[in-house]
Amino acid sequence: CVFRNRTIGDDTMKVAKRYARALFDSLSSDRYIPMRSLLNSFSELFLESSDMELALTSPSYPLSQREAALSSLADKVSGGDKDFIGLLKLLLRNKRLNIIKEVAISFSLFVDQYQRLINLTIETATPLSEDEKKSALDQIRRSLGSTAEVTWNVDESLLGGARIKLGDVVLDNSIDKALKDVERVLMT
């Protein structure tokens, strides 16, 4: 996986997931959303500033100076959130601050799982009205028992119906698929 010209390997994501899991497990559920926001904001800030990244990760500066600078910055970003500051200091001490974006991604996934949030892509032949979208979302919530975040796409190559993608799983309820199924039966 490539993110902002950086290759994210499986090992990096495994390490990031451990930090994210430890943080997630240490927080009360009312802190999940604010912490996700802090992690995302800081990781964007960190990755957008190569000078900041270099200053905080370069061994040419003593760890105590880098830790003081990071604490000051994190305090301003978070309003003094001790868990957030503690995580960043831990990442710095373990020479892992460069995986903060991956930690933020992993933490967000834990929050989504906790909230039973699923991400779907729904493709239709024509744009749906807001009422049709609301009706479809209500059906999804009832069927899956989850809150869904939906990306709506129009695929003009479809004759009708819909194609729903949930990760690697595709539920194809399009007329195109039905016609192909009929054709396959007739050919055998």
Side-chain angles (χ1 to χ4, degrees), residues 2-181:
V2 176
F3 179 79
R4 291 198 179 188
N5 299 325
R6 296 184 323 145
T7 301
I8 301 172
D10 288 340
D11 290 340
T12 300
M13 286 307 292
K14 285 178 187 174
V15 171
K17 188 175 181 180
R18 284 191 292 247
Y19 282 100
R21 183 80 215 183
L23 178 63
F24 182 84
D25 289 344
S26 73
L27 298 175
S28 59
S29 61
D30 63 321
R31 304 257 341 271
Y32 294 158
I33 302 300
M35 184 60 71
R36 174 170 47 189
S37 181
L38 285 173
L39 287 169
N40 287 332
S41 297
F42 184 82
S43 65
E44 290 298 319
L45 178 69
F46 184 74
L47 292 173
E48 286 175 4
S49 174
S50 57
D51 290 340
M52 181 193 313
E53 186 175 358
L54 180 63
L56 292 174
T57 59
S58 174
S60 60
Y61 299 104
L63 178 60
S64 59
Q65 285 182 349
R66 290 183 285 141
E67 196 169 299
L70 179 62
S71 292
S72 175
L73 178 63
D75 186 55
K76 288 177 183 157
V77 169
S78 71
D81 187 299
K82 300 292 184 213
D83 295 310
F84 177 69
I85 295 168
L87 171 71
L88 294 180
K89 284 179 160 182
L90 181 63
L91 289 169
L92 178 68
R93 280 187 228 117
N94 292 342
K95 299 177 181 163
R96 300 272 191 200
L97 193 57
N98 61 332
I99 66 166
I100 187 63
K101 184 63 180 178
E102 292 82 2
V103 172
I105 291 167
S106 295
F107 187 83
S108 288
L109 291 173
F110 287 125
V111 173
D112 289 350
Q113 287 173 348
Y114 173 79
Q115 293 179 321
R116 298 180 55 117
L117 178 68
I118 57 172
N119 293 299
L120 299 173
T121 301
I122 300 178
E123 297 175 342
T124 57
T126 59
L128 298 179
S129 69
E130 290 306 313
D131 287 341
E132 290 170 320
K133 288 179 182 179
K134 184 181 178 315
S135 175
L137 281 174
D138 289 344
Q139 266 187 318
I140 291 166
R141 283 188 190 105
R142 281 192 306 276
S143 297
L144 300 176
S146 299
T147 303
E149 190 171 292
V150 178
T151 302
W152 299 94
N153 292 330
V154 174
D155 182 349
E156 294 175 355
S157 70
L158 294 176
L159 296 175
R163 188 177 301 130
I164 301 170
K165 296 178 183 176
L166 171 60
D168 293 338
V169 178
V170 178
L171 305 171
D172 195 341
N173 194 24
S174 65
I175 292 174
D176 301 53
K177 169 97 169 56
L179 289 173
K180 287 178 186 172
D181 291 346

